[in-house]
Amino acid sequence: MHKNSVFEQLALWNPHCTQSKEIFASGKELGAVYTRRETVDFILDLTGYTPDKPLHKFTLLEPSFGNGDFLIQAVERLLISYLRINRQDTAEDGLRNAITAIEIDSESAEVAVRRLSDLLSEHGFNESQICSLLGAWLRNDDFLLAEIHSRFDFVVGNPPYVRQELIPDWLMVEYRSRYETIYDRADLYIPFIERSLRLLKDGAVLGFICSDRWMKNRYGGPLRALIAGGYHLKYYVDMVETQAFLSDVTAYPAIFVISRERSGKTRIAHRPKVEVPVLDALSSALVDGTSFADVPVVEVPNVVNGREPWILDSLDQLNIVRRLEVTFPLLEEVGCKVGIGVATGADKAFIGKFDEMDVEPCRKLPLVTTKDIVSGSVKWHGLGVVNPFNDDGTLVDLDMFPRLKSYFEARREIIAARNCARRNPHSWYRTIDRIYPELAKEKKLLIPDIKGEANVVFEPGQYYPHHNLYYIISSEWDLRALQVVLRSGIARLFVGAYSTQMRGGYLRYQAQYLRRIRLPRWNEVPRELREKLIEAARKGDAEVCNRITFELYGLNAEERAALGGNGN
């Protein structure tokens, strides 16, 4: 068969596609990441799109088919299913409505057309039949804007990973007008998931692989709420640090299968080897609810809970989190406050050696950074930050501070080039965040953003924190005692449950997750236990910190074991 003649006869790749396709120049900008065949087969198995069913009686949607990784495997299953019990000469009409596949990028789609043409030819289809089927199945369009008037039994794929800043403002305005889940800095896969879910028939199933960030991050809240309102998260498989794709990716992928039905328990597995025997056995274990030694499967209730981040770890740890949430108030309800250090927007200009900053003494503050606390205590490297604010939050009059004015003018090119300075040229010398000089004098706990274990450092009230450090101050709790709690397995439990995990098992100790930690009121902690906590802080022994903290929370032996502690 002459492949060019197939393309010439297909009317789908034409200039009548929606205007938005022209904003992207390449597959990379479209967020294209291609999926390994083993991964695709695993997802199709989990959704139930298997050739033992009469697949031609169902409808499948692939909203961003790229070069055809999912589509090829789905069509092959469809053909095997149909030709097993039907004649070849009826296939053209029998299969026309079984597939709907959409792709915005013509170049990627042409690769898929070639592959599909070869596959159909191998199964005995002639050129006319191939053109007819591909013309019925494939559309060159923007899935988020395309007119789609039917619903589907299956939706599968790998939605594009595109950041908002890569999309023109006019197009984002249009997307936002259509999709309620585009919130904060949500990536493009968020509305892809929303529309795909809304296109499911009752009882139908979606199976996607994409970044897991939305499952816990703030921008995923509206999408999680949508799922909580009418869908069931059936399966979740963590694919971080696996070879799920044909190339290395920096995203944190997960496979999730969601059905349009009443919510129920979720079966969960973590990081399987991407090998056919392993994935075949794991898909059976997930679907049947059986055990699989190589990759344990756990069944967890109440994963989906409104907008709340999904807790996708062990059932034992989930039960502890839920019990502590019922028993104890939030950290900020017991006199503690969580904040983050100053972001300047131009550290090279605003930050430097404290003793060498030629500004008025009242216009600079000693600065503490992550490098200063790596040892577990503060060892200041001598940096400082320039403060352009009055105590009431207004900017200082530079004419009142000639040395400060000279300092800023010498660095004006860097400072004024920032977005915040261009938007407000009269305030060109402000830092992005306001600086509160009194914070430097507050006793505080300092916590770096990303850590495998909590590196919580006591700072006695001498330094201002940099923006890569979170801080906690308290009007009630003794900070040394609180330091012990935050270094314990309890703090990791809460942060790990609600935060997104980074490569290598690192956690994000961000303010939104630290605020999730539950804590007894200090005045309700027995005096003897208070003294134990303060003494544990002095010793700094991790086992002692855990043991005293477990006692503080009243954990039983089973709960201590689930957190990696002991029953002592």
Side-chain angles (χ1 to χ4, degrees):
M1 178 184 298
H2 301 291
K3 296 298 185 297
N4 286 340
S5 64
V6 173
F7 301 138
E8 289 167 3
Q9 293 178 55
L10 282 174
L12 69 164
W13 310 121
N14 58 47
H16 302 298
C17 175
T18 181
Q19 181 185 5
S20 59
K21 73 173 186 176
E22 298 176 5
I23 68 170
F24 300 109
S26 69
K28 182 177 181 181
E29 291 176 347
L30 284 161
V33 177
Y34 300 121
T35 315
R36 294 175 67 95
R37 174 171 181 159
E38 298 91 334
T39 309
V40 173
D41 282 331
F42 179 54
I43 294 171
L44 291 172
D45 287 345
L46 288 178
T47 62
Y49 196 81
T50 53
D52 58 314
K53 297 184 177 71
L55 295 180
H56 65 288
K57 296 182 179 180
F58 300 99
T59 53
L60 178 140
L61 169 67
E62 221 283 54
S64 178
F65 67 82
N67 66 3
D69 293 333
F70 275 84
L71 203 51
I72 292 293
Q73 300 307 107
V75 169
E76 185 166 34
R77 292 178 180 220
L78 173 63
L79 296 176
I80 292 170
S81 168
Y82 186 85
L83 295 176
R84 180 182 294 133
I85 56 176
N86 296 279
R87 300 193 317 272
Q88 177 79 36
D89 59 3
T90 67
E92 184 178 338
D93 290 332
L95 300 177
R96 287 181 62 85
N97 298 320
I99 300 282
T100 298
I102 300 173
E103 174 55 48
I104 196 173
D105 179 44
S106 299
E107 291 184 8
S108 296
E110 286 182 3
V111 175
V113 169
R114 291 189 182 92
R115 296 174 68 189
L116 287 166
S117 298
D118 289 339
L119 176 62
L120 290 166
S121 180
E122 289 169 6
H123 280 81
F125 291 82
N126 61 39
E127 185 173 316
S128 175
Q129 290 173 316
I130 292 173
C131 287
S132 176
L133 285 174
L134 296 189
W137 290 346
L138 308 182
R139 292 175 59 180
N140 181 204
D141 213 337
D142 181 343
F143 173 66
L144 296 180
L145 303 182
E147 291 189 16
I148 303 173
H149 301 293
S150 55
R151 292 193 175 191
F152 300 89
D153 299 292
F154 300 91
V155 181
V156 297
N158 175 10
Y161 189 91
V162 183
R163 296 186 182 279
Q164 286 187 28
E165 52 264 34
L166 297 177
I167 302 172
D169 291 343
W170 66 266
L171 186 55
M172 278 308 305
V173 169
E174 183 63 30
Y175 287 158
R176 287 182 184 277
S177 72
R178 297 182 182 218
Y179 300 103
E180 64 185 44
T181 59
I182 302 179
Y183 171 68
D184 195 48
R185 298 183 60 80
D187 292 277
L188 202 63
Y189 64 80
I190 294 293
F192 260 77
I193 298 171
E194 176 187 341
R195 188 171 202 200
S196 297
L197 289 172
R198 295 190 187 282
L199 289 172
L200 289 175
K201 296 178 181 177
D202 290 341
V205 182
L206 173 148
F208 274 178
I209 180 169
C210 73
S211 169
D212 66 359
R213 305 292 89 174
W214 67 275
M215 299 177 186
K216 294 189 176 185
N217 272 354
R218 183 174 69 171
Y219 69 65
L223 180 56
R224 294 192 297 270
L226 172 67
I227 294 168
Y231 299 87
H232 173 205
L233 176 62
K234 297 181 69 174
Y235 315 124
Y236 165 84
V237 183
D238 168 18
M239 299 297 287
V240 174
E241 296 181 342
T242 70
Q243 296 299 312
F245 302 106
L246 292 172
S247 58
D248 291 333
V249 297
T250 56
Y252 301 88
I255 291 168
F256 52 94
V257 175
I258 300 173
S259 57
R260 189 166 196 153
E261 60 186 347
R262 185 177 178 180
S263 184
K265 294 181 179 179
T266 302
R267 292 175 185 160
I268 297 172
H270 291 273
R271 307 188 183 191
K273 289 184 178 179
V274 182
E275 298 173 356
V276 172
V278 174
L279 296 180
D280 283 351
L282 180 56
S283 65
S284 297
L286 286 163
V287 172
D288 299 335
T290 57
S291 61
F292 175 46
D294 287 358
V295 183
V297 173
V298 296
E299 191 171 68
V300 178
N302 304 319
V303 169
V304 177
N305 180 24
R307 296 171 61 98
E308 293 295 296
W310 291 353
I311 299 179
L312 296 158
D313 299 306
S314 76
L315 179 58
D316 289 342
Q317 293 193 6
L318 173 60
N319 287 336
I320 298 171
V321 169
R322 294 294 185 235
R323 183 180 76 77
L324 297 183
E325 286 178 336
V326 170
T327 308
F328 299 102
L330 291 164
L331 184 105
E332 289 195 326
E333 294 175 342
V334 295
C336 300
K337 177 186 175 183
V338 182
I340 188 170
V342 61
T344 69
D347 283 357
K348 289 182 178 179
F350 287 97
I351 295 173
K353 286 288 186 181
F354 183 81
D355 291 340
E356 297 173 7
M357 286 180 160
D358 187 15
V359 299
E360 288 78 6
C362 65
R363 292 294 100 211
K364 60 182 178 180
L365 294 163
L367 187 77
V368 60
T369 72
T370 52
K371 291 182 179 179
D372 297 320
I373 65 169
V374 291
S375 66
S377 60
V378 179
K379 295 184 178 179
W380 187 46
H381 286 65
L383 292 181
V385 61
V386 177
N387 177 19
F389 295 96
N390 292 308
D391 290 347
D392 63 2
T394 59
L395 284 173
V396 299
D397 181 348
L398 292 182
D399 289 333
M400 300 292 292
F401 298 94
R403 291 166 61 189
L404 179 65
K405 182 177 183 178
S406 176
Y407 180 93
F408 280 148
E409 288 293 350
R411 296 160 178 80
R412 187 177 187 120
E413 184 176 351
I414 297 173
I415 297 172
R418 300 170 302 154
N419 286 333
C420 62
R422 290 200 298 267
R423 289 196 302 267
N424 298 286
H426 296 297
S427 305
W428 65 273
Y429 55 94
R430 66 162 293 147
T431 51
I432 290 177
D433 296 329
R434 177 184 165 184
I435 292 176
Y436 300 83
E438 64 272 17
L439 177 60
K441 300 175 183 178
E442 288 258 19
K443 295 179 180 179
K444 59 189 92 58
L445 298 177
L446 301 173
I447 307 171
D449 180 351
I450 302 174
K451 274 291 178 182
E453 299 293 337
N455 181 28
V456 184
V457 175
F458 176 77
E459 195 281 293
Q462 298 174 337
Y463 307 102
Y464 204 90
H466 191 223
H467 69 85
N468 52 14
L469 286 175
Y470 293 92
Y471 65 85
I472 298 178
I473 58 178
S474 179
S475 60
E476 296 182 20
W477 263 75
D478 181 288
L479 286 180
R480 289 291 194 181
L482 183 58
Q483 182 184 25
V484 170
V485 175
L486 296 179
R487 282 178 168 175
S488 74
I490 290 288
R492 182 177 175 85
L493 169 70
F494 277 99
V495 173
Y498 285 108
S499 81
T500 53
Q501 193 169 107
M502 313 301 286
R503 288 182 180 272
Y506 289 94
L507 296 176
R508 302 295 304 268
Y509 279 82
Q510 294 179 319
Q512 60 181 313
Y513 309 128
L514 292 169
R515 292 187 180 108
R516 293 274 180 179
I517 296 172
R518 299 284 171 152
L519 197 64
R521 297 189 181 280
W522 181 245
N523 60 10
E524 295 176 358
V525 178
R527 181 176 177 178
E528 182 181 355
L529 198 49
R530 292 187 192 185
E531 293 173 353
K532 286 182 179 180
L533 286 165
I534 295 169
E535 178 63 15
R538 187 185 66 80
K539 291 182 177 179
D541 184 281
E543 268 193 40
V544 173
C545 289
N546 266 340
R547 187 169 67 248
I548 303 303
T549 303
F550 293 168
E551 182 181 349
L552 173 71
Y553 284 88
L555 268 58
N556 60 37
E558 291 77 15
E559 291 173 327
R560 296 180 186 210
L563 298 185
N566 55 56
N568 296 334

